[in-house]
Amino acid sequence: MLRFQLFDTQTNTIVGDVEYVLKDLLPNKLTTKTLPLIPVETDETECTDEEKIEDLSSELGELSISLCHNPTDQKLMVKVNCARGLQQISKDGRLNPFVKLELTFCGRKLSTRTTKTAHNTRTPNFSEMYVFDVNSDKLPQITLFFKVKHRGMMRDVPLGTVHLGYCVNVESEYKHWEQAMEKPHLEIAQWHTLQEYFVE
């Protein structure tokens, strides 16, 4: 089977997939066929300032993350979408959040990425995509750490974390990773409740 992936370079998102069964091809003959576009499996990730914080289940807030595994090219695409309901840490209510992303293998840090810093918001919209080279045989030992922090004048203040991989304790985090690995080439987005931040 041939699978074609439509990618929007303006927003760094996968629009959908097209699949073609090779057995339908006729030898030595040019074939033209219109195929349906299969939309990616995604969760609602749009963040707005009008969202009601009191309706959220987590006091620390939530982070929306998209995963897409491409075993053909040995690539792992990770998108930090947005956050909502981040905790207020100052009296004036100002919050300058950003996300530090770490990819580890067997506990050893292999790569680090940091999003832009959003200013004066508890519902930041990051929409930043990162692509990592990851061999498929290493995936069982790979863990992604998403560390949400506030950019302070003197120091950065931890707000919460999300861990994705096979070796994590939170069921929703494990299932998101598992689903992305079992459905390659599909961008799968999910909201995750921030967990308590542990000092390194």
Side-chain angles (χ1 to χ4, degrees):
M1 177 182 291
L2 283 177
R3 174 177 286 169
F4 302 90
Q5 195 168 75
L6 182 62
F7 190 80
D8 187 344
T9 58
Q10 297 295 321
T11 60
N12 286 329
T13 57
I14 299 171
V15 179
D17 294 308
V18 174
E19 296 180 348
Y20 189 86
V21 181
L22 292 177
K23 67 178 182 179
D24 294 339
L25 285 175
L26 297 176
N28 302 318
K29 186 175 181 180
L30 180 64
T31 302
T32 302
K33 189 174 183 180
T34 302
L35 298 171
L37 183 67
I38 304 172
V40 297
E41 295 189 13
T42 182
D43 192 9
E44 183 63 35
T45 59
E46 189 68 24
C47 292
T48 62
D49 290 333
E50 290 77 18
E51 290 181 288
K52 296 183 178 180
I53 305 303
E54 60 269 22
D55 291 337
L56 298 176
S57 59
S58 170
E59 294 181 357
L60 299 180
E62 295 178 297
L63 181 66
S64 173
I65 301 167
S66 296
L67 294 178
C68 181
H69 176 224
N70 184 343
T72 305
D73 296 332
Q74 302 286 290
K75 303 288 186 183
L76 177 63
M77 289 177 283
V78 182
K79 185 177 180 183
V80 180
N81 297 311
C82 51
R84 61 187 181 188
L86 298 179
Q87 62 177 329
Q88 183 174 319
I89 60 174
S90 61
K91 293 182 179 179
D92 59 11
R94 293 187 178 184
L95 193 67
N96 303 320
F98 68 96
V99 180
K100 183 178 180 181
L101 169 59
E102 296 177 356
L103 183 144
T104 67
F105 174 71
C106 293
R108 181 168 58 92
K109 190 184 303 182
L110 297 182
S111 185
T112 302
R113 301 286 190 275
T114 303
T115 69
K116 62 188 177 185
T117 300
H119 296 280
N120 300 329
T121 178
R122 295 170 66 190
T123 57
N125 188 8
F126 300 109
S127 297
E128 296 192 30
M129 173 79 80
Y130 306 101
V131 180
F132 300 97
D133 295 318
V134 179
N135 293 331
S136 296
D137 58 349
K138 291 185 177 181
L139 288 174
Q141 289 80 38
I142 290 291
T143 303
L144 293 172
F145 293 85
F146 299 83
K147 302 179 179 181
V148 184
K149 300 182 179 183
H150 161 70
R151 184 81 72 187
M153 295 183 61
M154 302 298 294
R155 64 184 181 90
D156 297 334
V157 181
L159 299 176
T161 63
V162 173
H163 304 159
L164 297 183
Y166 283 127
C167 302
V168 298
N169 296 323
V170 180
E171 183 178 5
S172 60
E173 297 175 345
Y174 169 84
K175 287 188 175 297
H176 187 189
W177 178 268
E178 181 182 47
Q179 189 177 20
M181 297 304 107
E182 292 179 350
K183 297 182 178 180
H185 305 288
L186 292 180
E187 181 181 348
I188 301 177
Q190 185 173 319
W191 282 101
H192 292 278
T193 299
L194 293 180
Q195 306 299 316
E196 185 176 354
Y197 194 100
F198 293 97
V199 179
E200 301 176 13

